[in-house]
Structures are given as structure tokens and as C-alpha cells.
Amino acid sequence: MRYIIIGAGAVGGAIGGRLAEAGHEVALVARGAHYEALRTHGLRLMTSEGTRTHRLPTVDGPAALGELRPDDVLVLAVKTQDSEAALKAWGPAPVAGGGTAAERLPLVCAQNGVESPRIALRRFRRVYGVCVWLPATLVEPGVVSAAGAPLTGILHLGRHPHGTDETAGRIAADLEKAHFEAPVVPDVARWQYAKLLGNLANAIEAVSGVLTSEEGLALFARVRAEGEAVLTAADIAYTGEEEQKRVRDNKIRFEPFDGSERGGGSSWQSLDRGTGTIEADYLNGEIVLLGRLHGVPTPLNELLQRLANTFARERRAAGSLPVAALVRLADEAVAFVQEERAPRP
């Protein structure tokens, strides 16, 4: 199978580079300065084993790749806010022998959140969800750091909305040969919702920096508790922390190669690069949506969604809001909702 990585940034670049190292045919899809760097210099992938350069076919859309092949696998690794545009572009792409990508090819959503597989099902017949557990950073255009060791990442994989099939097994086998653990599970959404709860910290990290202080961690505990209450009200199952620990414990250490402190995650990276967009609508915003549907107040996640979007839109510096100031805003948001919901005389 040939793997076409749609969005060869941090996660996509790490997956694509590792698959290429394992001998698989890989094509990268990127845009802007990253596209130019990949085309000119190749993908420089930094791992615990050193830095390798992979000169892989790189395109900016399906037309540049030509007719797709029946054994192609599309790996969607763009941020969720960019999924609609990517799916609209790739769905109608013709496949050799007849039909389109949306009709004939598997689409693997290797992204945070739970929304992209739902968006994809509107166009693609065969959609696979992935719970992405992969510490990776787009260091600069053309350079991706994947600092996980001894495994590069753990990628739970399954059909969306549920089930498994032979294709999932073949993809997982390829990933297993490429420094990943890739369990094929019939309930991948359960893992994705668990990851969503962890990703609620992304907005905190984006606006106030990496979570290290007791004050910041305590705020995240409140934000996560709000998310758990919403999932319970919506009767949505998610993997518990003990089960996650059993599966992941001691399999991935995160050790920056230069000995520096850990950098920020995906949302922090979006602000740091000044992209103008951020994934908060599909992380904290997912909790807000479910809360509104099921009558559960979500003032903390609403606040974080709004702040993250404001920071992205105004291109404010990542981590520039002091944690203490963020906690004050959070307390005010909760107090406002409590007052609003209090019985009136």
C-alpha cells in the first residue's frame, strides 16, 4: 500500500517518515513554506535514533499526484479546522480503474478530537479513526521532531463509527514495523473521547504555557471534570485512566534531544507559528457543544475556547497570559454561570 499523508506536519510527518524508514511507499501533502522545504530539501525527521532526511514525493494537492491507485491509503493529519477543505479536495480525486477516492479508498483520520471522522463520513465510504498518542513537533519548515522512545507513538485504530476489518489490520501491521504500537480496536471512539479529555488542557497550555505549576494543574482538573460530566450526561463511553495507563505505561518516554524543557503541544505550536487558527473549537468546543445539547453548564471550556480563538485570531504570543490571570477569569466565568442559574425570588 502507498500512504498519502495529507498534512505532513508534526503528526503526519512523523508517521510518514517512520513508514518510509520501514520501507513503505509514502507521498507527502503540504502547503506554504513547509511544502517548499519538503520539495527542496526533503523531510528531516529527528528521532531518538538520530536525524534522517527522507526525499519523498511531495505535492500540494491531488492534481499534482495524478491518478490515485486502488491500493492507496489516505492519512488525514491536518488540524480538524482544515479537514473540510482537505476532504473536499481529495474526495473527488480519480482512482485508476474508475471511481473516486471517496468511493474506493480508505481514509485514516490521525487527528485530535472526534469531529473529523464524522465530517469524513459525509464524503468517504471507508473511514478509520485513530487515537493519536504521539509526541511530535514541527520544528521549522521541513523539519519534524518525534521525541518518543522506545516507541515513537501509540495509535489505536478502528473503523468509524465502530468495528474492524482486514484493511485496519494491514495498516496496523505496517505501523507496527515503523516504531509504533497500533492496536486494532472495535471501539476506537472510546479511546478518542478519552484523549479528548486530556486535550482539554491544550488551550490552557496555548494561552498560559506548559502545565507545570500546581495552579495550572488544578485548573485543568476542573476543566477535565467539566468534560467528564458532559460525557456522562451524553452517555458517551471513554477509556478510563487505569486502562490507558496499563496500555501505555513505560512505552513512550518524551526526551527532547537537546536536553531542553518540553515544548508545547499542538495548540501551543499553532499559536507559536502564528497560523491564525487553532483547534479549540473541536476540543473544548466539543465539550461546549455536548454540554448545550444535554443541559450541562461548561463555563470553563467556553472560556478556554473563546480565549484560544482570540489568541489565534489576534496572533498573540503563545503562553503570554499568566496562569494566575487565567484562573481569575475561570473563577469569574463559573461565578457568572452560578449566578445566572440561581433561582430568582
Side-chain angles (χ1 to χ4, degrees):
M1 297 186 290
R2 176 175 64 171
Y3 290 89
I4 299 173
I5 311 296
I6 304 171
V11 168
I15 292 174
R18 280 304 208 181
L19 284 169
E21 288 176 6
H24 298 288
E25 191 175 357
V26 174
L28 305 178
V29 183
R31 59 186 180 181
H34 189 47
Y35 164 76
E36 296 296 340
L38 292 172
R39 292 266 293 182
T40 305
H41 305 293
L43 170 66
R44 289 181 57 207
L45 179 62
M46 304 164 60
T47 70
S48 59
E49 297 140 29
T51 300
R52 298 179 180 85
T53 298
H54 303 283
R55 296 192 174 275
L56 304 170
T58 302
V59 299
D60 58 1
L65 199 58
E67 193 173 52
L68 301 180
R69 305 190 320 218
D71 65 346
D72 283 340
V73 175
L74 305 182
V75 179
L76 186 66
V78 299
K79 297 290 178 60
T80 302
Q81 62 266 28
D82 298 319
S83 290
E84 179 63 34
L87 293 167
K88 185 177 181 181
W90 285 87
V95 178
T100 65
E103 293 167 326
R104 297 187 58 192
L105 300 184
L107 178 81
V108 179
C109 296
Q111 301 159 284
N112 284 335
V114 297
E115 182 63 18
S116 272
R118 297 195 296 229
I119 297 173
L121 277 180
R122 291 182 170 90
R123 289 191 170 89
F124 282 77
R125 290 178 180 171
R126 299 163 61 197
V127 176
Y128 298 79
V130 179
C131 178
V132 178
W133 193 264
L134 198 177
T137 304
L138 179 59
V139 179
E140 61 184 65
V143 182
V144 170
S145 167
L151 291 175
T152 299
I154 300 177
L155 307 172
H156 283 77
L157 170 70
R159 285 292 295 261
H160 181 81
H162 49 74
T164 63
D165 61 15
E166 181 182 352
T167 298
R170 292 175 64 197
I171 294 169
D174 288 348
L175 291 169
E176 295 272 1
K177 296 173 184 175
H179 291 270
F180 296 99
E181 187 170 290
V184 177
V185 293
D187 55 351
V188 67
R190 192 169 67 96
W191 290 88
Q192 290 174 306
Y193 276 104
K195 176 77 184 308
L196 172 66
L197 290 174
N199 284 145
L200 298 180
N202 286 26
I204 302 176
E205 185 177 73
V207 302
S208 293
V210 178
L211 281 173
T212 54
S213 69
E214 290 187 10
E215 198 172 21
L217 292 169
L219 175 60
F220 170 55
R222 295 165 63 191
V223 172
R224 181 187 174 101
E226 201 174 84
E228 290 175 345
V230 165
L231 295 186
T232 298
D235 197 26
I236 293 174
Y238 58 93
T239 311
E241 292 189 55
E242 284 301 315
E243 184 178 357
Q244 293 182 67
K245 185 177 180 181
R246 286 197 304 272
V247 170
R248 295 176 174 140
D249 207 19
N250 298 319
K251 294 180 180 178
I252 301 178
R253 298 186 310 275
F254 181 81
E255 299 175 356
F257 308 121
D258 59 1
S260 62
E261 293 185 1
R262 180 178 75 85
S266 57
S267 296
W268 186 94
Q269 292 176 45
S270 292
L271 292 186
D272 189 54
R273 297 200 306 271
T275 63
T277 66
I278 200 165
E279 59 193 339
D281 285 345
Y282 302 100
L283 300 177
N284 306 90
E286 181 70 25
I287 296 303
V288 172
L289 170 63
L290 290 170
R292 290 169 179 167
L293 290 173
H294 296 278
V296 179
T298 57
L300 297 177
N301 281 280
E302 287 184 39
L303 171 68
L304 291 171
Q305 179 187 9
R306 183 171 66 253
L307 283 175
N309 279 315
T310 299
F311 268 58
R313 184 175 59 254
E314 298 179 357
R315 289 178 166 76
R316 297 189 194 177
S320 58
L321 179 66
V323 173
L326 178 58
V327 171
R328 284 195 298 272
L329 291 173
D331 291 340
E332 291 171 4
V334 171
F336 177 80
V337 169
Q338 289 174 340
E339 181 180 349
E340 194 176 49
R341 292 170 62 89
R344 301 297 180 186

